[in-house]
Amino acid sequence: MYPKMFEYFSPRSLEEAIGLLSSHGEEAKLLAGGQSLIPLMKLRMSSPRYLVDINRVTEISQIREENGSLLFGALVRHAEIEESQTVRSKLPILYEAASVIGDVQIRNRGTIGGALAHADPAGDWAPVLLALDARVKCRGPKGERALGVDELQQDAYANSLSADEILTEVSVPLPGSGSGGVYLKFERKAGDFAVASAAVQVSLDENGSCRSIGVGLGAVGLTAIRARNVEALLRGKKINEALIKKAAAEAPGESDPLADTRGSVEYKRHLVQVLCARALNIAVRRARGEEVKITHV
Amino acid sequence: MSEKHSVVRKSKITTRVNGKDYECEVEPRLLLVDLLRDELELTGTHVGCDTSNCGACTVIMDGRTIKSCTCFAAAADGREIVTVESLAGDGRLHPLQQAFWENHGLQCGYCTPGVLMSALYLLSRNPDPTEEEIRRGIAGNLCRCTGYQLIVESIKDAAKKMRERAK
């Protein structure tokens, strides 16, 4: 089906885009990759009167490394993150996340900023970025501000930005040495959203104890979830299989899945515990320097 | 918010498709796939699901495969598009087309243009893919007929033909 009629703008600068959002407020929507928004518009589940296409705003299309963080412009495509040698060598969990989003065509067009702002409960970036303590920058007529990914995600398909703000950058701190991570996404079929997913990044100190840990759970709540109870059982400890089992048992209680075509509440709670345990196991082994390949789950 | 949406103007876009420049007038809602099929009469690209799943509408825009049913025509302004019509030339089939023919890589043919574009994209970046890499490379293209096995064989064969051609 065709979308309802709308007016289309294609600004060339952030300033111009913000100006358009300020003028049209709640009736305007930003178009980045469009791989979520355009299907919604075609189903008429979203009918913005004004569409502000920001694909020509090149100032937010770069991947950079700066001051111990990886910086992704909001318009960076999932495919570009998947293909980045810098990302793959410095923070491979991001490569793993990018590589399982949708399919080739979707990754070529979809963007990290658009995906985060769209806030799909089953989105792949949010659980990973939560586990990594990533922050986002956004800009509006009043200037720029930064917020954590947890503050950005407000509800299913809702972010906390105001109508005249644009998400401009995602910044991910690079963990120190002795760190390993993994993103496990359980999907029913190729190109699907996660039934449940688990992201873990863990860093070990010289004694092999857990120096820091981040665990993000995806598709098991209205937003991605930072599994703090799981983390609390592991932080500062020497991690072994028994401890992983105990920690992963916290995951179902921290989740709040909805029943849908992908599974029942009970199934998703069970699944996220299994994924969490597997992810913790793989992340720790990788932190110890072991090469662990994952196959499609 | 008013339910009545204003009557919108068409805008002029220029786009290069298969090496030829076109100037078109498009309304904002026009999808790229419909620009190609209805305005430019390049009906090789197909509309399958219209919901961004099946990939029958796959074309290459500025060097990357995209689903043209999930892209507004206006976004193609100033950009280069390659469609399935670009494959055959000088009265000869492209090695990909030859391989799909020889290896029975299609039955009804509806998904095939999209599969060919994804295969073209894959092989341009990875001239000697493993079977797993091929399957991943066409994961965005659904086929109801073949069960994919002969599609994979066709792409393997095409890759071989193209590597030999390049020598």
Side-chain angles (χ1 to χ4, degrees):
Chain A
M1 181 158 66
Y2 268 96
K4 279 195 182 158
M5 285 210 269
F6 56 88
E7 268 189 74
Y8 173 85
F9 303 94
S10 188
R12 312 239 158 193
S13 71
L14 267 180
E15 215 182 295
E16 201 186 333
I18 292 168
L20 286 162
L21 290 181
S22 301
S23 308
H24 299 299
E26 299 291 337
E27 295 192 298
K29 272 209 78 81
L30 288 167
L31 176 69
Q35 302 303 283
S36 295
L37 180 59
I38 295 179
L40 283 176
M41 287 175 68
K42 287 165 73 177
L43 290 169
R44 301 199 172 190
M45 290 164 79
S46 175
S47 297
R49 189 169 166 174
Y50 306 98
L51 195 63
V52 181
D53 181 344
I54 52 169
N55 283 282
R56 297 183 199 274
V57 178
T58 50
E59 58 197 281
I60 49 174
S61 314
Q62 308 303 316
I63 301 177
R64 289 179 359 249
E65 187 185 343
E66 215 172 79
N67 297 330
S69 291
L70 286 177
L71 305 174
F72 301 90
L75 269 179
V76 170
R77 315 280 167 183
H78 308 311
E80 290 172 324
I81 301 176
E82 188 186 3
E83 292 158 15
S84 161
Q85 281 309 310
T86 307
V87 170
R88 191 153 185 193
S89 59
K90 304 225 169 178
L91 199 46
I93 188 179
L94 295 177
Y95 158 79
E96 260 171 9
S99 69
V100 296
I101 295 172
D103 54 49
V104 176
Q105 296 93 313
I106 286 168
R107 293 195 287 278
N108 276 340
R109 199 86 183 127
T111 66
I112 185 170
L116 274 176
H118 179 66
D120 194 303
D124 295 302
W125 283 123
V128 172
L129 295 173
L130 281 177
L132 295 170
D133 279 316
R135 293 177 72 70
V136 302
K137 263 199 205 142
C138 59
R139 199 182 297 182
K142 299 189 198 91
E144 213 171 62
R145 62 187 181 106
L147 55 162
V149 169
D150 52 342
E151 297 166 279
L152 174 71
Q153 312 272 290
Q154 196 166 70
D155 202 340
Y157 308 102
N159 64 51
S160 60
L161 302 182
S162 54
D164 53 10
E165 280 183 309
I166 299 183
L167 199 162
T168 56
E169 190 178 79
V170 181
S171 104
V172 188
L174 285 164
S177 57
S179 193
V182 66
Y183 180 57
L184 287 181
K185 171 182 181 176
F186 188 95
E187 53 184 6
R188 296 171 303 165
K189 53 194 167 75
D192 207 358
F193 279 99
V195 182
S197 68
V200 174
Q201 187 73 31
V202 63
S203 301
L204 306 174
D205 64 23
E206 324 79 52
N207 304 316
S209 300
C210 173
R211 183 178 81 227
S212 69
I213 181 161
V215 179
L217 306 175
V220 287
L222 290 171
T223 64
I225 291 163
R226 179 89 192 247
R228 296 195 186 274
N229 297 344
V230 173
E231 294 172 8
L233 286 172
L234 298 164
R235 203 170 274 120
K237 308 275 193 339
K238 274 218 165 61
I239 300 178
N240 56 31
E241 273 310 300
L243 197 55
I244 284 177
K245 194 169 169 190
K246 192 169 166 214
E250 296 294 316
E254 298 205 75
S255 308
D256 191 19
L258 289 168
D260 61 20
T261 51
R262 294 191 197 111
S264 66
V265 171
E266 298 74 25
Y267 175 69
K268 293 182 184 186
R269 280 199 209 273
H270 174 79
L271 182 58
V272 79
Q273 179 172 353
V274 172
L275 291 178
C276 186
R278 285 188 197 173
L280 287 167
N281 172 279
I282 294 168
V284 167
R285 284 157 65 198
R286 284 178 173 174
R288 290 183 185 141
E290 190 185 329
E291 195 188 304
V292 185
K293 280 196 161 68
I294 55 170
T295 51
H296 176 78
V297 285
Chain B
M1 183 183 87
S2 159
E3 277 305 314
K4 191 173 169 202
H5 286 60
S6 54
V7 174
V8 293
R9 296 166 312 233
K10 289 194 175 186
S11 58
K12 264 207 178 71
I13 65 161
T14 21
T15 177
R16 178 167 296 176
V17 184
N18 300 331
K20 190 169 161 200
D21 290 324
Y22 296 89
E23 209 181 82
C24 310
E25 258 197 357
V26 301
E27 80 152 281
R29 302 190 278 175
L30 185 69
L31 300 172
L32 177 58
V33 67
D34 291 326
L35 175 77
L36 294 169
R37 291 180 52 81
D38 300 337
E39 297 297 317
L40 305 186
E41 297 188 352
L42 294 167
T43 53
T45 307
H46 298 158
V47 178
C49 67
D50 202 31
T51 53
S52 322
N53 286 294
C54 78
C57 64
T58 301
V59 299
I60 295 177
M61 184 161 86
D62 279 1
R64 287 196 181 266
T65 44
I66 63 162
K67 293 177 175 179
S68 62
C69 78
T70 312
C71 181
F72 292 117
D77 185 26
R79 307 218 182 268
E80 268 199 65
I81 315 272
V82 174
T83 71
V84 69
E85 283 89 350
S86 71
L87 291 178
D90 294 328
R92 287 168 56 199
L93 293 178
H94 188 279
L96 266 170
Q97 294 169 312
Q98 189 76 28
F100 270 69
W101 180 16
E102 290 169 2
N103 291 275
H104 196 46
L106 68 152
Q107 291 180 33
C108 82
Y110 202 80
C111 73
T112 309
V115 170
L116 288 172
M117 299 320 289
S118 287
L120 185 70
Y121 180 72
L122 169 71
L123 295 179
S124 73
R125 298 168 145 246
N126 184 354
D128 194 3
T130 63
E131 175 161 336
E132 198 184 314
E133 287 168 337
I134 292 174
R135 286 181 181 273
R136 236 185 90 77
I138 58 170
N141 295 82
L142 301 180
C143 174
R144 201 67 185 82
C145 295
T146 65
Y148 303 100
Q149 191 56 44
L150 293 183
I151 289 179
V152 173
E153 293 303 318
S154 301
I155 295 174
K156 265 195 214 151
D157 190 27
K160 186 158 168 249
K161 290 185 199 307
M162 287 163 76
R163 284 195 307 275
E164 260 146 39
R165 225 202 215 183
K167 282 192 188 139

